[in-house]
């Protein structure tokens, strides 16, 4: 689902009226509804906005995947800044925060 709305378009200026004049939910790919276009004034203070409504739940990584990503990022970060001492610095970081690099 998509949501079209007519919203105040100046974030740095306080809204003089309602922040959202009108909104309507439509199927994906549908054009802007006439109910919104009829109230839209070109160059006015309100803009036609489109929001994509997410209906799927957020996917969380399992601890094993988190551990892989954290270790990969650590190696990349250390090899970029201190490649000569990378093994020592990686071992030190793993010893300081073992639970974090296990994905917990």
């Amino acid at each position: 689902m998509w949501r079209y709305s007519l919203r105040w378009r100046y974030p740095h200026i306080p809204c003089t009226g309602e922040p959202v004049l009108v909104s309507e939910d439509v199927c994906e790919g549908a054009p802007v509804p006439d109910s919104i276009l009829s109230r839209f004034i070109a160059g006015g203070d309100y803009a036609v906005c489109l929001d994509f409504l997410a209906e799927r739940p957020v996917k969380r990584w399992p601890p094993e995947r988190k551990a892989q990503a954290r270790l990969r990022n650590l190696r990349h970060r250390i090899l970029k800044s201190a490649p000569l001492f990378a093994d020592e610095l990686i071992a030190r970081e793993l010893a300081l925060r073992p639970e974090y690099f296990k994905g917990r």
Side-chain angles (χ1 to χ4, degrees), residues 50-61:
L50 173 63
D51 296 319
F52 303 101
L53 304 177
E55 295 177 3
R56 297 181 311 190
V58 176
K59 291 184 180 180
R60 299 287 178 200
W61 282 2

Side-chain angles (χ1 to χ4, degrees), residues 6-8 13-21 45-46:
L6 199 57
R7 281 191 237 154
W8 182 255
I13 299 174
C15 182
T16 57
E18 292 291 320
V20 178
L21 289 181
D45 294 334
Y46 289 88

Side-chain angles (χ1 to χ4, degrees), residues 6-7 10-11 17 19 22-24 38 42-45 48 50 76 81:
L6 199 57
R7 281 191 237 154
Y10 299 114
V22 65
S23 68
E24 189 172 329
S38 64
D45 294 334
V48 176
L50 173 63
H76 177 73
S81 62

Side-chain angles (χ1 to χ4, degrees), residues 5-100:
S5 59
L6 199 57
R7 281 191 237 154
W8 182 255
R9 69 177 187 163
Y10 299 114
H12 57 282
I13 299 174
C15 182
T16 57
E18 292 291 320
V20 178
L21 289 181
V22 65
S23 68
E24 189 172 329
D25 295 346
V26 297
C27 295
E28 295 177 12
V32 182
D34 290 332
S35 62
I36 293 176
L37 283 180
S38 64
R39 297 188 68 181
F40 174 69
I41 300 170
D45 294 334
Y46 289 88
V48 176
C49 300
L50 173 63
D51 296 319
F52 303 101
L53 304 177
E55 295 177 3
R56 297 181 311 190
V58 176
K59 291 184 180 180
R60 299 287 178 200
W61 282 2
E64 300 83 27
R65 181 68 179 102
K66 280 186 193 176
Q68 290 173 351
R70 289 173 179 174
L71 190 57
R72 182 189 66 237
N73 292 340
L74 173 69
R75 283 194 180 116
H76 177 73
R77 189 170 53 247
I78 290 179
L79 283 172
K80 187 176 179 182
S81 62
L84 186 61
F85 304 105
D87 295 333
E88 180 184 337
L89 293 172
I90 290 171
R92 186 183 303 171
E93 196 66 31
L94 290 174
L96 283 175
R97 301 187 298 168
E99 294 299 314
Y100 177 77

